[in-house]
Amino acid sequence: MKTHRLFLLSLALPFSSEADTLRVGPGEAHVSIQSAIDAASPGDTIEVAAGTYAENLVVNKSPLVLRGARAGQDARGRVTGAPDPATESIIAPVSGSGLDLASATGAITVDGFSISSSPAAGSGAVIASSSPLATLAFSCNRVAVGAGAAASVLRFESSAEDATISRNSFVASDASPAAVELEASGSFDGLHFVENEVLRSGPASGAGLLADGAGNLGASALRTSLIRGNRFEGHSVGIDGGLDSLSGAEISSNLFQGNGRGFSAGAGASAHA
């Protein structure tokens, strides 16, 4: 009988592995996104109401899902002029990066935000600053760098294998070295960069997508790198594959408008349409 009673008590205990949903916004348990991130456990989802959040966010745990008010809604053409806080979840810090993805233990999803910032030179509005990322999903976000900021829109300073970056709108400044920058020291094998618009305000300069490494953008153990269905407009070069960063990546069905050059890669690069 004792054994049976102990067994029944164990069934009544809550399961600690169950994921929770944390909500951010007026009248919710959290009024800031960072407080929800700090309170979350790996596997949780954070839902952010429309409004403006003047925060420098750091995601230091994973897996974690961040959903803005426009989650699942294509960001291309979604915002004209300044984003509307009545309909968009806007991350707009006074200075510095708006979002730092800094956890390597599981997948991070960022979906449906508008992020605007004026980061320091050489940084980015959204960065992956320290830890290699695993299967990042970055979708339906509108990300812009303030005028004159010599920073990238999305900058990976560490590896991000099997990342999916889709249906986003990236807007670089006239001084941005690149809209999307893949650092030479990282590995980006298995990247799927699909159906994004990669734009630039002001005169043509810099790159739309910059990959500068040694064979670090090719096939992962799971899939081949894919750059497909994107629009690159207003850059000195739409896609800059560096000297030999590309290693068997598929590049197809992209639209290049108003660039000095559409595509550039060195003799050591390997790609196919």
Side-chain angles (χ1 to χ4, degrees):
M1 293 297 294
K2 289 183 179 179
T3 301
H4 290 298
R5 280 196 292 269
L6 288 172
F7 177 70
L8 291 172
L9 284 171
S10 71
L11 289 178
L13 294 175
F15 290 99
S16 60
S17 61
E18 290 183 354
D20 289 329
T21 298
L22 292 77
R23 293 180 173 83
V24 180
E28 299 292 356
H30 299 277
V31 296
S32 76
I33 304 172
Q34 190 64 56
S35 70
I37 294 172
D38 294 342
S41 298
D44 285 351
T45 295
I46 297 172
E47 295 184 350
V48 181
T52 300
Y53 302 85
E55 303 185 59
N56 303 97
L57 301 177
V58 178
V59 178
N60 55 8
K61 61 188 67 172
S62 57
L64 195 67
V65 176
L66 278 72
R67 289 199 185 112
R70 304 300 291 271
Q73 300 178 35
D74 198 324
R76 294 172 294 177
R78 194 176 74 202
V79 174
T80 301
D84 183 358
T87 59
E88 297 274 342
S89 302
I90 303 169
I91 301 169
V94 174
S95 62
S97 300
L99 176 61
D100 183 358
L101 306 170
S103 178
T105 56
I108 297 173
T109 296
V110 182
D111 184 359
F113 289 88
S114 182
I115 304 171
S116 303
S117 74
S118 295
S123 186
V126 176
I127 59 174
S129 65
S130 56
S131 302
L133 298 174
T135 59
L136 168 71
F138 192 87
S139 302
C140 301
N141 303 292
R142 190 260 189 183
V143 191
V145 168
S152 298
V153 182
L154 177 61
R155 176 181 166 88
F156 291 96
E157 299 174 2
S158 59
S159 297
E161 292 198 353
D162 297 315
T164 299
I165 301 172
S166 63
R167 299 197 297 161
N168 301 286
S169 177
F170 298 112
V171 185
S173 79
D174 57 340
S176 296
V180 178
E181 185 174 1
L182 311 180
E183 269 287 277
S185 59
S187 171
F188 307 100
D189 291 341
L191 171 69
H192 279 196
F193 190 86
V194 295
E195 298 180 348
N196 302 284
E197 61 178 16
V198 186
L199 314 176
R200 184 176 295 265
S201 60
S205 62
L209 173 64
L210 172 62
D212 188 14
N216 61 341
L217 183 54
S220 70
L222 298 179
R223 62 190 192 181
T224 299
S225 287
L226 177 63
I227 302 172
R228 185 174 66 194
N230 305 285
R231 177 164 69 99
F232 297 91
E233 183 173 343
H235 313 285
S236 291
V237 56
I239 298 175
D240 186 346
L243 291 177
D244 58 359
S245 182
L246 301 174
S247 178
E250 178 186 334
I251 302 175
S252 63
S253 303
N254 297 288
L255 176 63
F256 299 93
Q257 293 180 315
N259 304 285
R261 288 174 294 166
F263 177 80
S264 175
S270 170
H272 62 278

